[in-house]
Amino acid sequence: MHKSLILCITLSIVILLTACSGNVSSQPTAIPAPSATPVAQVTPTTLPSQTPTPTTPPTPTTLPTSTSTPTPTPSPTPTFTPTPTPQPTETPTATPSPTLPPNTMGSVLVLEYHMVKEPEDRWQRTPDNFRADIERLHRLGYSPANIIDLTLGFPDLPAGRKPIVFTFDDSDISQFRYLEDGSIDLDSAVGILYDFHLKHPEDWPLKSTLYVLQDVNVPERVLFGQKDLQDFKLQWLVENGFEVASHTISHFNLTAGSDEEVQWQLAVSQRQLEARLPGYDVRSLSIPFGNYPANESLLAQGVWDDQPYTYAGAVMVAGGAGPSPHSADFNPYRIPRVQALQSELDYWLGYFEENPQFYYVSAGP
Ligand SMILES: [Zn+2]
């Protein structure tokens, strides 16, 4: 197990170093500024590099074997009642533990997806494989949550449930597509999650966090493509329980940016999304390329054009399982993720299947 962990850490670092490279060729064009201040003054002059050179790779703050995972306290055991699978075609293999004691100091998995389409590749998962991921996680007793729920300590997660957070970066059309007949494409990621939710409404809430881009030179990655449907899609997502969040305006390399450029990306991406989503607060951020700004405090708050912004959390591009949000090791601005590669999923899901005592289990609201 020790060697496996070292291998995993190594793999995570390699993944980090190659993360997103070539994925989005960002050419930020002028975004209409919300005020009279000319955008040209703050439009990034340094384009994100095609081959980003990350600084020090973030080390996972907690590994599941670390001593920070305490033994669950023998408090009253809430009843965990997995909903019987109503679909006769589903394979009822591994049965979730009938009861799970709360373990609110356990580790949490945040999964990182990019495109969901054929064929399986470094940055894309096939629709069938994504469906299989969901079925596997459901079978293992996981329950979807959003990043903002994680940063708040899973306030709504029923007792006995194990949270799993799906995240999707880059707002590719394959994540959320409408067909010509007006229906959601059930081979797009949102369609697959929606379909599964309809079949398992009791224990599969409609949740996941989508980190969107607003101005890149790949039209299919600007707010899920389908230009006429952008607002409609964003509103549908938040009305149905998903979290819409920022991946900056242009997949900007925050490490290369000045404080002003960083604040422009974070403030304007939030402001423009919230303008499209009246009453909704954009609360979290996915760091493009995993490249953190020199002034990391600008992630939590900053100002642009005299208007302040705040973010409650930020996700990295790698790192493995993360610490509990109730742990002293938890840094909401460095939330580690597991990339949705078959090998990574097999490793981490297998690990927690063998060592369930290390995984987070809700004690209830
Ligand atoms: Zn990205």
Side-chain angles (χ1 to χ4, degrees), residues 14 21 26 40 117 136 140-141 164 197 224 237 270 288 333 350:
V14 169
S21 55
S26 308
K117 64 180 185 180
R136 180 182 187 183
L140 292 171
I164 186 88
H197 164 73
F224 312 108
L237 287 170
Q270 182 180 72
Y333 299 98

Side-chain angles (χ1 to χ4, degrees), residues 20 23-24 114 169-170 213 247 251 286 288-289:
C20 285
N23 206 18
V24 174
H114 288 81
D169 284 17
D170 300 345
L213 296 169
H247 198 25
H251 212 271
S286 172
F289 314 107

Side-chain angles (χ1 to χ4, degrees), residues 282-300:
V282 171
R283 300 303 296 130
S284 73
L285 181 71
S286 172
I287 309 290
F289 314 107
N291 288 354
Y292 276 73
N295 182 356
E296 205 167 315
S297 72
L298 293 178
L299 298 178

Side-chain angles (χ1 to χ4, degrees), residues 2 6 10 44 57 90 95 120 143 164 218 236 258 283 297 299 341 362:
H2 186 63
I6 291 171
T10 308
E90 309 237 343
T95 311
E120 184 78 10
S143 190
I164 186 88
V218 182
W236 188 93
S258 66
R283 300 303 296 130
S297 72
L299 298 178
L341 302 170
S362 177

Side-chain angles (χ1 to χ4, degrees), residues 174-314:
S174 67
Q175 293 171 5
F176 192 5
R177 183 192 297 106
Y178 273 89
L179 301 176
E180 285 189 5
D181 65 4
S183 64
I184 295 175
D185 183 352
L186 296 183
D187 274 339
S188 66
V190 167
I192 291 168
L193 284 163
Y194 183 56
D195 187 52
F196 197 83
H197 164 73
L198 292 180
K199 291 171 179 163
H200 305 271
E202 296 300 317
D203 60 357
W204 195 264
L206 209 42
K207 283 178 178 258
S208 60
T209 300
L210 297 105
Y211 289 108
V212 304
L213 296 169
Q214 299 179 53
D215 185 21
V216 289
N217 61 3
V218 182
E220 294 204 330
R221 293 188 194 161
V222 175
L223 300 172
F224 312 108
Q226 297 182 300
K227 200 168 189 310
D228 295 344
L229 297 174
Q230 288 170 349
D231 285 344
F232 185 80
K233 286 181 181 180
L234 292 172
Q235 284 161 13
W236 188 93
L237 287 170
V238 302
E239 282 168 10
N240 282 278
F242 291 91
E243 178 182 3
V244 171
S246 174
H247 198 25
T248 74
I249 289 283
S250 60
H251 212 271
F252 186 68
N253 178 358
L254 297 169
T255 303
S258 66
D259 282 3
E260 192 177 34
E261 287 166 340
V262 168
Q263 289 174 98
W264 182 81
Q265 289 279 342
L266 302 190
V268 176
S269 63
Q270 182 180 72
R271 203 174 298 171
Q272 291 187 165
L273 283 175
E274 290 178 351
R276 290 171 180 268
L277 294 166
Y280 183 77
D281 292 330
V282 171
R283 300 303 296 130
S284 73
L285 181 71
S286 172
I287 309 290
F289 314 107
N291 288 354
Y292 276 73
N295 182 356
E296 205 167 315
S297 72
L298 293 178
L299 298 178
Q301 57 185 329
V303 178
W304 187 76
D305 189 29
D306 294 331
Q307 293 181 51
Y309 66 84
T310 64
Y311 284 93

